[in-house]
Amino acid sequence: MKKSIFLLSISLLVFAACSDDYLDTTPNGQATSAQFWRNGDDAVSAANALYEPMIDEEFYGHSEQTFEICSDDFYRAGDHGEDQAIEDFTFDADNSQLRHSYKFKYEIINRAHAILINVPDIEMDQNLKNQVLGEAYFMRGFARWRQHVIYGSLPIITEENYINNEFNQPKPTVAEFQAAIEADWLMAADLLPANYSGVDVGRPTSGTVNGFLAKFYLYVDDFDNAITYGEKVLNGPYPLAESFADNFTIATENNPEVLFAVQSLDNWKTQDYMIYTTPRPWGGWDFHEPIQDLVDEYETDDPRLDASIFKPGDMVDIGGDDGVQEYTADLSSTGYHFRKFASWRESGGLNGDQNIPILRSADVYLLVAEAKIRRDGAGAGDTELNAVRTRALGEGAAISGADMDDLIHERRVELAGENQRFADLKRWDKAGIIDLVAHFQIDRGQFKPSRTFMKPKHYYFAVPQREIDLSNGVIEQNEGY
């Protein structure tokens, strides 16, 4: 998939590069909407285009990750002043980070609409048609899921709205928005294959969708469905990788555990997050630095610490003439950097083949464990929690009678830096498992001092004021802003 998702971009670049000498020629390679939807190749090209926005710096390349800096795992670092207000819960609706990735989610939704409107009428292989439609339903649901996690509810643009250019719609209720996500993902789960081979590896599968459905149902406290859909993943062809580090190693990063990731291709379409989270002398920009509190969460000899975080004394091969370098505390404000998101070429320089993981089977194992613990009590999720835990620490580390404290610990060390922690904390607060007001009042040192979390205001971020203004007030602001 690393190659296939960029085919549409390649064609656009080719025709944009024509010189003035060719302006009078027939643009045979260009296609209007009326000419485009002809066959299976066109349908696949449209499906490929669903993923292109995700890699942008203002989406998963950086901006989407800034919604995680409110968590207790890392310091914002970097030189983006607007990030401090997000980290400190003092942001308002004019904060620029709130709007950077906003447009890309609607871009994906619009591209999905184009597929869902046009592909059903194409004469093509039915299995391939189902796959393309499934990808469109999944990606529309995924874009809306990210809108939901961040903003609660945003306007739902339907296919009919899209056809009629009726884009200025009011927000539905949160429950109505959740129902739209669920409907899309249930459709996608029935249409997508269980796995892929060859260049298609990396596309969403039915396992991808079932994993997200498990997460969705846990977020709405539907434990039975969270377990049902999660077990479809656990019992499917999506085993945990042999090593935790395999999920962040380029040669093995598309292993079956990685259910969904931003695919990156060196020297063509590369993600910027590897630059943001890497030491500046090693080619990075020093953003999102882990704090001591996160490092201290790891148990002694947990290999996930070494695979997740650069710490003083680590020897790192950054390639080229620089070769092996020692990581020292002065490379970072906090003394640490995330290791998960960066690799170096043998010849030197950051390797753009590094993906950004979004959902792994390990996450789903822990979602099922949580649903069982919350439904049936301590110990009910031992099998699933220990599958993740013993993969890292060995069979001797298995625990019995695991409760929510054990689950919360396991999710923190397994998924550190993967844009899950703040959403987890809010979910647990809503369920009465933790008290976020008290949690954020704890002083965790220089880089995470006491902060004021306000309920229910900070369960969701503010809708960008620019979007409200453009709608002439049709879009309503979230509570408290």
Side-chain angles (χ1 to χ4, degrees), residues 248-276:
F248 315 101
T249 303
I250 289 175
T252 53
E253 64 186 355
N254 273 324
N255 70 78
E257 177 180 343
V258 180
L259 299 172
F260 194 51
V262 177
Q263 301 287 320
S264 186
L265 186 63
D266 197 28
N267 287 323
W268 179 247
K269 197 72 173 176
T270 57
Q271 54 94 353
D272 288 327
Y273 200 54
M274 63 179 177
I275 305 174
Y276 273 95

Side-chain angles (χ1 to χ4, degrees), residues 225-452:
N225 269 324
I227 294 166
T228 295
Y229 284 91
E231 288 182 341
K232 291 177 184 286
V233 176
L234 276 50
N235 296 326
Y238 317 105
L240 297 177
E242 182 177 351
S243 166
F244 171 81
D246 286 348
N247 297 298
F248 315 101
T249 303
I250 289 175
T252 53
E253 64 186 355
N254 273 324
N255 70 78
E257 177 180 343
V258 180
L259 299 172
F260 194 51
V262 177
Q263 301 287 320
S264 186
L265 186 63
D266 197 28
N267 287 323
W268 179 247
K269 197 72 173 176
T270 57
Q271 54 94 353
D272 288 327
Y273 200 54
M274 63 179 177
I275 305 174
Y276 273 95
T277 59
T278 303
R280 188 170 293 272
W282 297 357
W285 292 337
D286 291 326
F287 281 69
H288 297 189
E289 298 171 353
I291 64 170
Q292 189 66 48
D293 192 75
L294 171 61
V295 174
D296 291 344
E297 184 77 17
Y298 289 86
E299 297 164 64
T300 302
D301 298 327
D302 187 337
R304 289 175 292 190
L305 174 59
D306 290 338
S308 300
I309 296 172
F310 289 127
K311 57 193 186 304
D314 287 348
M315 304 305 293
V316 184
D317 187 353
I318 64 173
D321 294 336
D322 293 321
V324 176
Q325 298 285 309
E326 181 178 357
Y327 186 89
T328 55
D330 59 359
L331 288 171
S332 162
S333 301
T334 67
Y336 303 100
H337 277 88
F338 277 114
R339 188 176 199 138
K340 285 181 171 179
F341 311 111
S343 299
W344 285 264
R345 305 184 195 96
E346 184 177 346
S347 59
L350 286 164
N351 191 331
D353 278 340
Q354 186 82 42
N355 291 347
I356 306 173
I358 296 177
L359 182 68
R360 298 189 283 118
S361 296
D363 188 347
V364 182
Y365 270 91
L366 295 175
L367 294 171
V368 173
E370 179 178 338
K372 289 184 175 182
I373 293 169
R374 291 174 62 185
R375 186 187 69 178
D376 302 325
D382 283 2
T383 298
E384 293 78 17
L385 185 147
N386 282 323
V388 174
R389 180 175 173 79
T390 59
R391 189 259 300 266
L393 293 164
E395 293 299 327
I399 58 178
S400 178
D403 58 16
M404 279 302 299
D405 287 341
D406 297 310
L407 185 285
I408 289 170
H409 162 78
E410 209 61 41
R411 283 191 67 82
R412 190 180 189 193
V413 297
E414 176 72 24
L415 302 169
E418 295 181 50
N419 206 7
Q420 302 295 328
R421 176 69 173 174
F422 185 48
D424 280 349
L425 290 171
K426 290 186 291 183
R427 182 177 78 254
W428 296 326
D429 179 89
K430 292 175 185 178
I433 297 167
I434 64 172
D435 178 1
L436 263 192
V437 173
H439 186 84
F440 284 125
Q441 284 177 346
I442 297 171
D443 186 345
R444 291 181 169 83
Q446 175 185 357
F447 302 104
K448 283 292 180 181
S450 175
R451 295 171 290 158
T452 300

Side-chain angles (χ1 to χ4, degrees), residues 72-204:
D72 49 3
D73 278 356
F74 58 80
Y75 168 55
R76 66 183 183 277
D79 56 1
H80 292 179
E82 63 271 22
D83 291 357
Q84 180 175 353
I86 292 178
E87 187 171 30
D88 294 343
F89 298 113
T90 58
F91 59 87
D92 59 26
D94 286 318
N95 188 291
S96 60
Q97 285 291 14
L98 301 185
R99 64 175 183 267
H100 285 326
S101 65
Y102 187 101
K103 60 187 176 185
F104 290 105
K105 300 177 184 72
Y106 276 117
E107 178 62 30
I108 290 172
I109 291 168
N110 286 341
R111 294 183 186 194
H113 284 328
I115 290 172
L116 296 173
I117 291 166
N118 291 286
V119 168
D121 294 331
I122 297 177
E123 292 187 11
M124 58 185 290
D125 176 80
Q126 188 61 49
N127 289 332
L128 184 59
K129 178 182 286 191
N130 288 345
Q131 173 193 314
V132 169
L133 293 173
E135 290 182 77
Y137 279 118
F138 167 70
M139 286 300 293
R140 186 171 70 177
F142 175 76
R144 287 174 175 165
W145 169 251
R146 291 304 303 167
Q147 289 176 327
H148 168 56
V149 170
I150 297 167
Y151 305 106
S153 171
L154 287 179
I156 293 176
I157 310 300
T158 66
E159 292 158 50
E160 183 178 358
N161 295 147
Y162 182 82
I163 292 170
N164 296 326
N165 291 318
E166 298 170 341
F167 298 109
N168 195 17
Q169 301 294 322
K171 292 196 309 183
T173 65
V174 169
E176 289 169 338
F177 200 72
Q178 290 169 337
I181 298 167
E182 179 185 23
D184 273 351
W185 281 348
L186 289 173
M187 287 291 293
D190 287 338
L191 291 167
L192 289 172
N195 50 29
Y196 295 98
S197 61
V199 296
D200 287 323
V201 170
R203 292 183 185 276

